[in-house]
Amino acid sequence: MSSLPLVSIFIFLAFGLVLGIESKSNTNQQTENSHRAFFVFGDSLVDNGNNNFLATTARADSPPYGIDYPTHRPTGRFSNGLNIPDIIGQHIGVDPLLPYLSPELKDEKLLNGANFASAGIGILNDTGVQFINIIRMPSQLSDFETYQKRVSDLVGVEKTKKLVNEALVLITCGGNDFVNNYFLIPNSIRSIQYKLPDYVPFLISEYEKILMRLYELGARKVLVTGTGPLGCAPAILALHSKQGECANELQQAANLFNPQLVDMVTALNKKLGGDIFVTANTNYMHLNFINDPKAFGFETSKDACCGQGPYNGLGLCTPLSSLCENRDAYVFWDGYHPSERANRIIVDEIFNGIKYVEPMNLSTFMALDSKRV
């Protein structure tokens, strides 16, 4: 095989060097001119596929999950279509986020942000032990730290800091700490250790540590959602309800947790000297659907669209499950998770409402100057 002339090799190397410089320049220019990044942390309400890369039972990787997603295929989202991060992303103009574990998350795609969420996790590390291999919150935060190192290699430390400071961060967790921990079995370890009125402040104190860690890692615009109406989910109705009434103990948990979350975040903002965190009381938002579904155009708030057993609430949605024809008529897609249409109404309230978002709605929050150190 003949070798290239020396001059040709030099030209080829020089051309490659120019391309490399130009590519780096384009990446830096994109960082300066592109839209805001978006980061997501939490559980199955916001997981968009990380668990698909893990050996765990907490997965939404088979039909009919994703039946109304643009690809009409399961993606790992616990939804018939888009979930809350997807819809928030549409509002703020970011491309659909990739799961952090996706091999596609590299190069310029890193600048869009990432979804670190994992179905089954909670505030506490012992929540979701039955799912075995999930990404618990300390690991999600560690992945966020690693992500920033990867972006720094791409655009430099200062631009990475700016990207993270100006990004929107969504964190959603807490529900599993009740459903899949405290109330999972009679006389669970946590229920023996704590009475419910004592367990909630313990969770709130642990959640505060998570939020402070996000702040230490550079987050300056953080949306913190509370739990939904835990006692009213079809999965809970299937196990505890005789005539469709919500389960009192689980509703009590949600009613205790959400106001204390707001109080904690208010105190944290005061401590940090600015509006870093905004809370969304998704319990009350969702209860509006529960109490009067027809006012929002839903046919039912008790039955899940996809499932089996009473209220279609038993087990995950599978190809063998009973499936409703009109997903828009159902508040719940499966035993625990809202339908895409319910998610859209919740996100609209988060952006434009005044009643359930503290200290301001997300539209106002996003308009604030984000240049905070």
Side-chain angles (χ1 to χ4, degrees):
M1 184 174 65
S2 61
S3 60
L4 286 170
L6 185 61
V7 65
S8 298
I9 294 173
F10 177 79
I11 292 171
F12 178 77
L13 289 174
F15 181 63
L17 182 61
V18 169
L19 281 180
I21 293 171
E22 185 176 315
S23 174
K24 183 79 169 182
S25 174
N26 287 342
T27 298
N28 287 340
Q29 191 69 30
Q30 182 177 347
T31 306
E32 292 171 2
N33 297 335
S34 64
H35 52 238
R36 191 187 305 272
F38 185 27
F39 302 105
V40 178
F41 301 85
D43 56 26
S44 61
L45 289 167
V46 293
D47 184 359
N48 71 343
N50 279 308
N51 280 21
N52 283 1
F53 299 94
L54 304 172
T56 177
T57 56
R59 294 164 65 136
D61 58 348
S62 64
Y65 283 104
I67 189 172
D68 298 311
Y69 193 75
T71 61
H72 306 293
R73 300 176 63 184
T75 61
R77 292 165 174 82
F78 288 75
S79 173
N80 59 301
L82 303 183
N83 62 11
I84 284 176
D86 294 321
I87 301 163
I88 290 176
Q90 289 179 341
H91 276 258
I92 65 174
V94 303
D95 295 332
L97 291 186
L98 288 169
Y100 181 70
L101 296 184
S102 171
E104 296 179 31
L105 186 67
K106 58 185 178 181
D107 302 327
E108 284 80 5
K109 290 183 180 179
L110 286 164
L111 306 181
N112 194 52
N115 187 316
F116 300 88
S118 177
I121 68 98
I123 296 167
L124 305 180
N125 285 340
D126 58 312
T127 292
V129 292
Q130 66 271 36
F131 303 122
I132 304 174
N133 192 20
I134 52 181
I135 312 168
R136 304 182 192 286
M137 193 55 70
S139 295
Q140 291 187 29
L141 296 172
S142 176
D143 287 343
F144 187 36
E145 197 169 10
T146 303
Y147 161 89
Q148 293 187 41
K149 292 175 183 175
R150 293 172 64 190
V151 175
S152 292
D153 291 340
L154 193 66
V155 300
V157 173
E158 287 305 312
K159 286 187 173 68
T160 300
K161 180 179 178 182
K162 182 175 186 290
L163 181 144
V164 172
N165 284 169
E166 295 182 354
L168 175 65
V169 177
L170 168 66
I171 182 166
T172 296
C173 59
N176 285 328
D177 295 286
F178 296 105
V179 174
N180 286 317
N181 192 330
Y182 192 88
F183 292 108
L184 180 63
I185 56 173
N187 299 315
S188 66
I189 293 174
R190 288 298 187 185
S191 67
I192 293 171
Q193 188 179 13
Y194 294 98
K195 297 296 183 184
L196 184 61
D198 299 318
Y199 182 61
V200 172
F202 170 59
L203 286 181
I204 294 295
S205 68
E206 293 300 305
Y207 207 166
E208 182 177 8
K209 296 174 185 176
I210 293 169
L211 297 184
M212 275 303 302
R213 184 59 185 148
L214 276 175
Y215 180 82
E216 290 166 0
L217 290 170
R220 294 297 182 269
K221 282 187 177 294
V222 185
L223 172 64
V224 186
T225 69
T227 71
L230 302 173
C232 304
I236 300 302
L237 299 185
L239 296 174
H240 300 285
S241 181
K242 294 179 180 178
Q243 296 181 332
E245 73 280 4
C246 299
N248 285 333
E249 279 193 306
L250 279 143
Q251 272 309 95
Q252 183 188 3
N255 291 336
L256 287 171
F257 181 84
N258 287 283
Q260 291 186 43
L261 178 64
V262 173
D263 290 344
M264 179 268 283
V265 166
T266 300
L268 199 53
N269 280 337
K270 185 175 181 180
K271 173 183 174 182
L272 296 173
D275 292 321
I276 307 296
F277 302 97
V278 162
T279 55
N281 193 326
T282 45
N283 178 43
Y284 289 156
M285 292 178 192
H286 214 138
L287 272 178
N288 289 335
F289 309 153
I290 302 293
N291 294 331
D292 192 1
K294 289 186 172 19
F296 294 87
F298 296 109
E299 290 179 8
T300 177
S301 61
K302 299 186 185 301
D303 297 312
C305 171
C306 184
Q308 41 277 318
Y311 306 101
N312 250 8
L314 296 179
L316 288 175
C317 183
T318 74
L320 300 178
S321 297
S322 170
L323 177 66
C324 71
E325 291 186 8
N326 182 8
R327 273 79 67 182
D328 286 348
Y330 285 70
V331 170
F332 285 95
W333 157 245
D334 64 14
Y336 285 111
H337 305 95
S339 64
E340 178 182 321
R341 183 162 174 270
N343 283 331
R344 287 191 178 279
I345 296 172
I346 289 169
V347 170
D348 185 67
E349 183 68 29
I350 289 172
F351 266 90
N352 302 310
I354 57 174
K355 192 172 182 181
Y356 306 121
V357 191
E358 294 284 346
M360 68 194 77
N361 63 35
L362 196 53
S363 292
T364 304
F365 192 46
M366 296 300 290
L368 292 179
D369 181 14
S370 60
K371 294 177 181 179
R372 302 162 181 158
V373 295

